[in-house]
Amino acid sequence: MRPAILIPARWGSTRLPGKMLTDLRGKTLIRRVYESCIESEIPTFVITDSMRIQNEIGTDAILEPEGENGTDRLCAWVNKSEMALSYAVYINVQGDMPDIKPRHIREVLELLQKFRVATLYTDFKNDEDQMNPNSVKIVCNKNRAVWFGRGITGYGHHHLGIYGYHHNELRQYRFLKKYLPEKVEKLEQLRWLMNGVDIGIAKTKFKGIEINTPEDILKWDEEVPLHI
C-alpha cells in the first residue's frame, strides 16, 4: 500500500481565525504539523484554501478551494488530481495536531491492513478535558468506533485528529448521504458511521495538545516540553 499524508488546512476558523499561521515558539502551527509528518518519510502534502498557508509551506502545499470540512477538501482534491492516483491509502492528519508523531502514522497504516477507514484514540488526561465540549469523544466496541460526539460527558475516550482511508473510500466521501448528527455535532467522521462504514480504531499514547482555541495555545506553551 503506497501511502501519502494529507493535511487539510483552511484559513477560516470560528474559534481561532487564521489559526494555521498561529505562532508556536517561533514556528507556525501548520509548519509544526507538516514537519512532524515528514519525519515519517512518507510523502506529505498540505491541502489548503489559502495562499497564505500555501506560501508558508511551499511546493508541498496544494490549493484546493472546495471543501465543507477537512475530509471533503481532501476528497475534492483526490477526485481532481492525477498525482493522487499514485497512492493507495491516505493518512489525514488534522492541521491542529502539532504533536503528532511518526508512530501514530504507523499505527493508522497498520489498521488500514484490516479496515477501509481508521482512526486513533487515547485516554483523557483529566476530568476537565473529558467535560470540555471542544474535546471530541469516541465510544468504542472492541476494535471499531460506535459513535463520536462533543457533548458526551462522563464516558468515552479522547478521539485524536488523525484518520486513514483507502483511495476509493476517500474518493467517495462527498457523495455519501449527510445525516443530521454530522451537522449537529460538526464531526465529519459521523458520515462514515451513518452510512454503515466500519471505522477501525486503536488506542495510543499521546502527549500533546490539539489547538482549537486561544486557550489551547497558552496550554500548549505551558505543558508541552521545549524539545517538541
mmCIF file of all heavy atoms in Angstrom, residues 166-197:
data_model
loop_
_atom_site.group_PDB
_atom_site.id
_atom_site.type_symbol
_atom_site.label_atom_id
_atom_site.label_comp_id
_atom_site.label_asym_id
_atom_site.label_seq_id
_atom_site.Cartn_x
_atom_site.Cartn_y
_atom_site.Cartn_z
ATOM 1 N N HIS A 166 -8.540 4.206 2.577
ATOM 2 C CA HIS A 166 -8.148 3.668 1.287
ATOM 3 C C HIS A 166 -8.596 4.642 0.200
ATOM 4 O O HIS A 166 -9.502 5.458 0.410
ATOM 5 C CB HIS A 166 -8.763 2.284 1.072
ATOM 6 C CG HIS A 166 -8.050 1.209 1.805
ATOM 7 N ND1 HIS A 166 -7.219 0.305 1.188
ATOM 8 C CD2 HIS A 166 -8.011 0.907 3.134
ATOM 9 C CE1 HIS A 166 -6.709 -0.519 2.078
ATOM 10 N NE2 HIS A 166 -7.175 -0.178 3.272
ATOM 11 N N HIS A 167 -7.955 4.571 -0.955
ATOM 12 C CA HIS A 167 -8.173 5.554 -2.012
ATOM 13 C C HIS A 167 -9.656 5.689 -2.388
ATOM 14 O O HIS A 167 -10.196 6.801 -2.441
ATOM 15 C CB HIS A 167 -7.359 5.158 -3.251
ATOM 16 C CG HIS A 167 -7.446 6.133 -4.379
ATOM 17 N ND1 HIS A 167 -6.546 7.158 -4.544
ATOM 18 C CD2 HIS A 167 -8.339 6.247 -5.402
ATOM 19 C CE1 HIS A 167 -6.881 7.867 -5.611
ATOM 20 N NE2 HIS A 167 -7.958 7.335 -6.149
ATOM 21 N N ASN A 168 -10.313 4.571 -2.629
ATOM 22 C CA ASN A 168 -11.707 4.639 -3.076
ATOM 23 C C ASN A 168 -12.631 5.193 -2.002
ATOM 24 O O ASN A 168 -13.600 5.899 -2.305
ATOM 25 C CB ASN A 168 -12.197 3.257 -3.519
ATOM 26 C CG ASN A 168 -11.646 2.888 -4.889
ATOM 27 O OD1 ASN A 168 -11.261 3.756 -5.674
ATOM 28 N ND2 ASN A 168 -11.600 1.600 -5.178
ATOM 29 N N GLU A 169 -12.353 4.885 -0.740
ATOM 30 C CA GLU A 169 -13.191 5.405 0.338
ATOM 31 C C GLU A 169 -13.102 6.923 0.414
ATOM 32 O O GLU A 169 -14.114 7.614 0.619
ATOM 33 C CB GLU A 169 -12.792 4.779 1.672
ATOM 34 C CG GLU A 169 -13.419 3.441 1.960
ATOM 35 C CD GLU A 169 -13.094 2.377 0.927
ATOM 36 O OE1 GLU A 169 -11.947 2.337 0.438
ATOM 37 O OE2 GLU A 169 -13.989 1.583 0.600
ATOM 38 N N LEU A 170 -11.906 7.459 0.235
ATOM 39 C CA LEU A 170 -11.767 8.910 0.258
ATOM 40 C C LEU A 170 -12.435 9.542 -0.961
ATOM 41 O O LEU A 170 -13.118 10.568 -0.848
ATOM 42 C CB LEU A 170 -10.293 9.314 0.315
ATOM 43 C CG LEU A 170 -10.020 10.823 0.387
ATOM 44 C CD1 LEU A 170 -10.769 11.475 1.544
ATOM 45 C CD2 LEU A 170 -8.511 11.092 0.511
ATOM 46 N N ARG A 171 -12.284 8.944 -2.128
ATOM 47 C CA ARG A 171 -12.910 9.476 -3.342
ATOM 48 C C ARG A 171 -14.428 9.575 -3.208
ATOM 49 O O ARG A 171 -15.066 10.481 -3.744
ATOM 50 C CB ARG A 171 -12.580 8.601 -4.554
ATOM 51 C CG ARG A 171 -11.171 8.745 -5.083
ATOM 52 C CD ARG A 171 -10.984 7.956 -6.369
ATOM 53 N NE ARG A 171 -11.813 8.498 -7.452
ATOM 54 C CZ ARG A 171 -12.858 7.879 -7.985
ATOM 55 N NH1 ARG A 171 -13.236 6.691 -7.551
ATOM 56 N NH2 ARG A 171 -13.547 8.441 -8.956
ATOM 57 N N GLN A 172 -15.036 8.643 -2.488
ATOM 58 C CA GLN A 172 -16.492 8.570 -2.418
ATOM 59 C C GLN A 172 -17.098 9.413 -1.300
ATOM 60 O O GLN A 172 -18.322 9.570 -1.238
ATOM 61 C CB GLN A 172 -16.910 7.104 -2.236
ATOM 62 C CG GLN A 172 -16.563 6.223 -3.423
ATOM 63 C CD GLN A 172 -16.718 4.744 -3.132
ATOM 64 O OE1 GLN A 172 -17.200 4.353 -2.068
ATOM 65 N NE2 GLN A 172 -16.285 3.913 -4.074
ATOM 66 N N TYR A 173 -16.262 9.974 -0.439
ATOM 67 C CA TYR A 173 -16.772 10.618 0.778
ATOM 68 C C TYR A 173 -17.843 11.662 0.505
ATOM 69 O O TYR A 173 -18.911 11.658 1.119
ATOM 70 C CB TYR A 173 -15.616 11.246 1.557
ATOM 71 C CG TYR A 173 -16.077 12.010 2.782
ATOM 72 C CD1 TYR A 173 -16.363 11.345 3.965
ATOM 73 C CD2 TYR A 173 -16.223 13.397 2.754
ATOM 74 C CE1 TYR A 173 -16.790 12.035 5.085
ATOM 75 C CE2 TYR A 173 -16.651 14.093 3.865
ATOM 76 C CZ TYR A 173 -16.929 13.406 5.035
ATOM 77 O OH TYR A 173 -17.364 14.104 6.141
ATOM 78 N N ARG A 174 -17.598 12.582 -0.412
ATOM 79 C CA ARG A 174 -18.538 13.690 -0.622
ATOM 80 C C ARG A 174 -19.822 13.259 -1.312
ATOM 81 O O ARG A 174 -20.753 14.053 -1.420
ATOM 82 C CB ARG A 174 -17.881 14.830 -1.393
ATOM 83 C CG ARG A 174 -17.307 14.456 -2.731
ATOM 84 C CD ARG A 174 -16.714 15.648 -3.499
ATOM 85 N NE ARG A 174 -16.454 16.803 -2.687
ATOM 86 C CZ ARG A 174 -16.385 18.060 -3.137
ATOM 87 N NH1 ARG A 174 -16.562 18.300 -4.423
ATOM 88 N NH2 ARG A 174 -16.142 19.047 -2.342
ATOM 89 N N PHE A 175 -19.856 12.009 -1.766
ATOM 90 C CA PHE A 175 -21.067 11.507 -2.414
ATOM 91 C C PHE A 175 -21.926 10.665 -1.462
ATOM 92 O O PHE A 175 -22.999 10.200 -1.850
ATOM 93 C CB PHE A 175 -20.688 10.702 -3.655
ATOM 94 C CG PHE A 175 -19.782 11.454 -4.586
ATOM 95 C CD1 PHE A 175 -18.454 11.079 -4.764
ATOM 96 C CD2 PHE A 175 -20.244 12.584 -5.254
ATOM 97 C CE1 PHE A 175 -17.612 11.793 -5.607
ATOM 98 C CE2 PHE A 175 -19.409 13.304 -6.104
ATOM 99 C CZ PHE A 175 -18.092 12.913 -6.282
ATOM 100 N N LEU A 176 -21.446 10.478 -0.232
ATOM 101 C CA LEU A 176 -22.239 9.769 0.754
ATOM 102 C C LEU A 176 -23.338 10.678 1.307
ATOM 103 O O LEU A 176 -23.208 11.903 1.326
ATOM 104 C CB LEU A 176 -21.348 9.305 1.914
ATOM 105 C CG LEU A 176 -20.241 8.304 1.583
ATOM 106 C CD1 LEU A 176 -19.391 8.037 2.821
ATOM 107 C CD2 LEU A 176 -20.814 7.007 1.047
ATOM 108 N N LYS A 177 -24.409 10.072 1.767
ATOM 109 C CA LYS A 177 -25.516 10.840 2.324
ATOM 110 C C LYS A 177 -25.105 11.515 3.626
ATOM 111 O O LYS A 177 -24.424 10.920 4.460
ATOM 112 C CB LYS A 177 -26.717 9.925 2.568
ATOM 113 C CG LYS A 177 -27.941 10.663 3.077
ATOM 114 C CD LYS A 177 -29.142 9.731 3.220
ATOM 115 C CE LYS A 177 -30.349 10.478 3.771
ATOM 116 N NZ LYS A 177 -31.538 9.586 3.908
ATOM 117 N N LYS A 178 -25.504 12.774 3.811
ATOM 118 C CA LYS A 178 -25.246 13.513 5.051
ATOM 119 C C LYS A 178 -26.477 13.429 5.947
ATOM 120 O O LYS A 178 -27.585 13.736 5.509
ATOM 121 C CB LYS A 178 -24.905 14.969 4.736
ATOM 122 C CG LYS A 178 -23.561 15.153 4.081
ATOM 123 C CD LYS A 178 -23.220 16.619 3.897
ATOM 124 C CE LYS A 178 -23.969 17.203 2.717
ATOM 125 N NZ LYS A 178 -23.537 18.592 2.429
ATOM 126 N N TYR A 179 -26.257 13.042 7.196
ATOM 127 C CA TYR A 179 -27.334 12.921 8.160
ATOM 128 C C TYR A 179 -27.241 14.037 9.204
ATOM 129 O O TYR A 179 -26.186 14.659 9.391
ATOM 130 C CB TYR A 179 -27.279 11.559 8.849
ATOM 131 C CG TYR A 179 -27.635 10.399 7.941
ATOM 132 C CD1 TYR A 179 -26.654 9.769 7.171
ATOM 133 C CD2 TYR A 179 -28.942 9.923 7.864
ATOM 134 C CE1 TYR A 179 -26.970 8.701 6.343
ATOM 135 C CE2 TYR A 179 -29.266 8.846 7.034
ATOM 136 C CZ TYR A 179 -28.288 8.252 6.287
ATOM 137 O OH TYR A 179 -28.597 7.192 5.460
ATOM 138 N N LEU A 180 -28.334 14.256 9.915
ATOM 139 C CA LEU A 180 -28.415 15.342 10.883
ATOM 140 C C LEU A 180 -27.325 15.304 11.962
ATOM 141 O O LEU A 180 -26.771 16.360 12.316
ATOM 142 C CB LEU A 180 -29.799 15.348 11.545
ATOM 143 C CG LEU A 180 -30.059 16.447 12.579
ATOM 144 C CD1 LEU A 180 -29.921 17.830 11.951
ATOM 145 C CD2 LEU A 180 -31.445 16.269 13.205
ATOM 146 N N PRO A 181 -26.965 14.147 12.538
ATOM 147 C CA PRO A 181 -25.942 14.149 13.588
ATOM 148 C C PRO A 181 -24.618 14.781 13.158
ATOM 149 O O PRO A 181 -23.950 15.418 13.964
ATOM 150 C CB PRO A 181 -25.769 12.659 13.912
ATOM 151 C CG PRO A 181 -27.114 12.081 13.623
ATOM 152 C CD PRO A 181 -27.581 12.808 12.385
ATOM 153 N N GLU A 182 -24.232 14.601 11.900
ATOM 154 C CA GLU A 182 -22.993 15.224 11.418
ATOM 155 C C GLU A 182 -23.074 16.740 11.536
ATOM 156 O O GLU A 182 -22.116 17.404 11.959
ATOM 157 C CB GLU A 182 -22.741 14.833 9.963
ATOM 158 C CG GLU A 182 -21.504 15.491 9.362
ATOM 159 C CD GLU A 182 -21.326 15.200 7.877
ATOM 160 O OE1 GLU A 182 -22.033 14.308 7.352
ATOM 161 O OE2 GLU A 182 -20.481 15.864 7.243
ATOM 162 N N LYS A 183 -24.224 17.294 11.182
ATOM 163 C CA LYS A 183 -24.410 18.751 11.250
ATOM 164 C C LYS A 183 -24.467 19.232 12.695
ATOM 165 O O LYS A 183 -23.867 20.249 13.045
ATOM 166 C CB LYS A 183 -25.696 19.129 10.524
ATOM 167 C CG LYS A 183 -25.980 20.617 10.519
ATOM 168 C CD LYS A 183 -27.253 20.930 9.746
ATOM 169 C CE LYS A 183 -27.548 22.429 9.769
ATOM 170 N NZ LYS A 183 -28.798 22.751 9.014
ATOM 171 N N VAL A 184 -25.175 18.505 13.551
ATOM 172 C CA VAL A 184 -25.322 18.909 14.949
ATOM 173 C C VAL A 184 -23.992 18.856 15.688
ATOM 174 O O VAL A 184 -23.610 19.794 16.390
ATOM 175 C CB VAL A 184 -26.364 18.013 15.656
ATOM 176 C CG1 VAL A 184 -26.390 18.303 17.159
ATOM 177 C CG2 VAL A 184 -27.747 18.236 15.053
ATOM 178 N N GLU A 185 -23.274 17.752 15.532
ATOM 179 C CA GLU A 185 -22.009 17.566 16.243
ATOM 180 C C GLU A 185 -20.841 18.280 15.559
ATOM 181 O O GLU A 185 -19.801 18.487 16.165
ATOM 182 C CB GLU A 185 -21.684 16.076 16.360
ATOM 183 C CG GLU A 185 -22.653 15.281 17.211
ATOM 184 C CD GLU A 185 -22.440 15.481 18.703
ATOM 185 O OE1 GLU A 185 -21.552 16.264 19.095
ATOM 186 O OE2 GLU A 185 -23.166 14.842 19.478
ATOM 187 N N LYS A 186 -21.022 18.620 14.261
ATOM 188 C CA LYS A 186 -19.930 19.196 13.472
ATOM 189 C C LYS A 186 -18.711 18.263 13.478
ATOM 190 O O LYS A 186 -17.572 18.694 13.675
ATOM 191 C CB LYS A 186 -19.554 20.597 13.984
ATOM 192 C CG LYS A 186 -20.672 21.616 13.799
ATOM 193 C CD LYS A 186 -20.252 22.991 14.283
ATOM 194 C CE LYS A 186 -21.292 24.040 13.934
ATOM 195 N NZ LYS A 186 -22.609 23.781 14.556
ATOM 196 N N LEU A 187 -19.002 16.993 13.213
ATOM 197 C CA LEU A 187 -17.958 15.967 13.178
ATOM 198 C C LEU A 187 -18.075 15.194 11.861
ATOM 199 O O LEU A 187 -19.039 14.453 11.650
ATOM 200 C CB LEU A 187 -18.091 15.018 14.376
ATOM 201 C CG LEU A 187 -17.822 15.643 15.744
ATOM 202 C CD1 LEU A 187 -18.091 14.634 16.849
ATOM 203 C CD2 LEU A 187 -16.385 16.173 15.838
ATOM 204 N N GLU A 188 -17.075 15.377 11.002
ATOM 205 C CA GLU A 188 -17.132 14.818 9.657
ATOM 206 C C GLU A 188 -17.098 13.302 9.635
ATOM 207 O O GLU A 188 -17.626 12.665 8.716
ATOM 208 C CB GLU A 188 -15.985 15.385 8.824
ATOM 209 C CG GLU A 188 -14.608 15.064 9.369
ATOM 210 C CD GLU A 188 -13.557 16.105 9.009
ATOM 211 O OE1 GLU A 188 -13.646 17.247 9.485
ATOM 212 O OE2 GLU A 188 -12.638 15.736 8.259
ATOM 213 N N GLN A 189 -16.481 12.681 10.656
ATOM 214 C CA GLN A 189 -16.351 11.230 10.667
ATOM 215 C C GLN A 189 -17.692 10.523 10.868
ATOM 216 O O GLN A 189 -17.828 9.332 10.551
ATOM 217 C CB GLN A 189 -15.349 10.782 11.737
ATOM 218 C CG GLN A 189 -15.711 11.137 13.164
ATOM 219 C CD GLN A 189 -15.178 12.483 13.591
ATOM 220 O OE1 GLN A 189 -15.123 13.420 12.799
ATOM 221 N NE2 GLN A 189 -14.766 12.596 14.847
ATOM 222 N N LEU A 190 -18.700 11.248 11.365
ATOM 223 C CA LEU A 190 -20.018 10.630 11.524
ATOM 224 C C LEU A 190 -20.638 10.236 10.190
ATOM 225 O O LEU A 190 -21.500 9.352 10.140
ATOM 226 C CB LEU A 190 -20.953 11.580 12.283
ATOM 227 C CG LEU A 190 -20.674 11.728 13.781
ATOM 228 C CD1 LEU A 190 -21.584 12.772 14.393
ATOM 229 C CD2 LEU A 190 -20.826 10.389 14.497
ATOM 230 N N ARG A 191 -20.224 10.864 9.107
ATOM 231 C CA ARG A 191 -20.770 10.494 7.799
ATOM 232 C C ARG A 191 -20.452 9.040 7.473
ATOM 233 O O ARG A 191 -21.269 8.334 6.887
ATOM 234 C CB ARG A 191 -20.252 11.424 6.700
ATOM 235 C CG ARG A 191 -21.046 11.283 5.406
ATOM 236 C CD ARG A 191 -20.594 12.238 4.335
ATOM 237 N NE ARG A 191 -20.577 13.622 4.784
ATOM 238 C CZ ARG A 191 -20.225 14.649 4.025
ATOM 239 N NH1 ARG A 191 -19.872 14.433 2.756
ATOM 240 N NH2 ARG A 191 -20.216 15.873 4.498
ATOM 241 N N TRP A 192 -19.229 8.612 7.828
ATOM 242 C CA TRP A 192 -18.884 7.213 7.579
ATOM 243 C C TRP A 192 -19.822 6.295 8.367
ATOM 244 O O TRP A 192 -20.395 5.351 7.813
ATOM 245 C CB TRP A 192 -17.443 6.937 8.012
ATOM 246 C CG TRP A 192 -16.394 7.731 7.348
ATOM 247 C CD1 TRP A 192 -15.595 8.667 7.932
ATOM 248 C CD2 TRP A 192 -15.971 7.669 5.982
ATOM 249 N NE1 TRP A 192 -14.718 9.187 7.014
ATOM 250 C CE2 TRP A 192 -14.932 8.588 5.812
ATOM 251 C CE3 TRP A 192 -16.391 6.914 4.880
ATOM 252 C CZ2 TRP A 192 -14.286 8.788 4.602
ATOM 253 C CZ3 TRP A 192 -15.754 7.103 3.665
ATOM 254 C CH2 TRP A 192 -14.717 8.030 3.538
ATOM 255 N N LEU A 193 -19.934 6.564 9.674
ATOM 256 C CA LEU A 193 -20.740 5.685 10.525
ATOM 257 C C LEU A 193 -22.194 5.649 10.094
ATOM 258 O O LEU A 193 -22.818 4.585 10.050
ATOM 259 C CB LEU A 193 -20.655 6.148 11.987
ATOM 260 C CG LEU A 193 -19.354 5.865 12.743
ATOM 261 C CD1 LEU A 193 -19.489 6.313 14.192
ATOM 262 C CD2 LEU A 193 -18.978 4.394 12.683
ATOM 263 N N MET A 194 -22.753 6.817 9.773
ATOM 264 C CA MET A 194 -24.166 6.897 9.409
ATOM 265 C C MET A 194 -24.454 6.209 8.077
ATOM 266 O O MET A 194 -25.594 5.871 7.781
ATOM 267 C CB MET A 194 -24.625 8.349 9.359
ATOM 268 C CG MET A 194 -24.531 9.091 10.682
ATOM 269 S SD MET A 194 -25.576 8.391 11.983
ATOM 270 C CE MET A 194 -27.202 8.773 11.361
ATOM 271 N N ASN A 195 -23.408 6.003 7.280
ATOM 272 C CA ASN A 195 -23.562 5.291 6.011
ATOM 273 C C ASN A 195 -23.103 3.836 6.109
ATOM 274 O O ASN A 195 -22.906 3.162 5.094
ATOM 275 C CB ASN A 195 -22.804 6.017 4.903
ATOM 276 C CG ASN A 195 -23.572 7.220 4.377
ATOM 277 O OD1 ASN A 195 -24.433 7.090 3.505
ATOM 278 N ND2 ASN A 195 -23.272 8.392 4.913
ATOM 279 N N GLY A 196 -22.926 3.347 7.334
ATOM 280 C CA GLY A 196 -22.632 1.936 7.539
ATOM 281 C C GLY A 196 -21.200 1.518 7.293
ATOM 282 O O GLY A 196 -20.922 0.329 7.119
ATOM 283 N N VAL A 197 -20.258 2.487 7.292
ATOM 284 C CA VAL A 197 -18.850 2.165 7.070
ATOM 285 C C VAL A 197 -18.171 1.898 8.409
ATOM 286 O O VAL A 197 -18.243 2.720 9.328
ATOM 287 C CB VAL A 197 -18.126 3.322 6.347
ATOM 288 C CG1 VAL A 197 -16.636 3.001 6.180
ATOM 289 C CG2 VAL A 197 -18.780 3.588 5.002
#
